[in-house]
Amino acid sequence: LGDTPLAMNNIVVHPLKNNAVQWNFDLEWDGECDIQLQADYIGTFGVAKLKIFGTMAIIMKPLTNELPVVSGIQYSFVNLPHVDLKFTGIASVAEVSVINDSIRRA
């Protein structure tokens, strides 16, 4: 999904109660992807660009004294991430501003 690696900045680690650790960081990914789907009688549609950035949280719990030192991982964005999509084929109709705004608010 592209040659640009995932970027993580402003990493902050918080110890939590109940034997857990939380990492917060700014995540940015600029995926120059080429995802195409073919449908009979409709044609092709897809995504040519996918860019995501936002603040992500990863919680590791419970911590253990044996490898792999963590039993479980939870991850989520702290707030709604910004997602930028560029559609191709018949999906490029979504690039029209009214439709584009509706998709991004969904």
Side-chain angles (χ1 to χ4, degrees), residues 1-90:
L1 293 175
D3 296 327
T4 306
L6 188 75
M8 294 183 289
N9 298 304
N10 302 321
I11 300 171
V12 179
V13 179
H14 305 280
L16 302 175
K17 296 178 183 176
N18 300 327
N19 202 21
V21 172
Q22 179 172 336
W23 296 27
N24 289 357
F25 55 90
D26 294 335
L27 174 98
E28 183 172 348
W29 181 58
D30 191 358
E32 292 289 335
C33 56
D34 186 13
I35 301 168
Q36 296 290 323
L37 298 172
Q38 175 80 32
D40 291 340
Y41 308 110
I42 296 175
T44 61
F45 56 96
V47 176
K49 182 178 180 104
L50 172 63
K51 185 173 184 175
I52 300 172
F53 62 91
T55 302
M56 179 166 259
I58 296 178
I59 298 174
M60 296 183 284
K61 66 178 182 180
L63 301 176
T64 65
N65 291 328
E66 298 177 13
L67 289 175
V69 302
V70 65
S71 296
I73 297 175
Q74 291 176 286
Y75 58 92
S76 65
F77 281 97
V78 175
N79 298 313
L80 206 58
H82 176 80
V83 178
D84 187 19
L85 295 166
K86 181 175 180 190
F87 297 103
T88 61
I90 61 171

Side-chain angles (χ1 to χ4, degrees), residues 90-105:
I90 61 171
S92 63
V93 169
E95 296 296 326
V96 176
S97 66
V98 173
I99 298 170
N100 193 359
D101 292 343
S102 297
I103 290 171
R104 302 210 190 294
R105 278 186 264 128

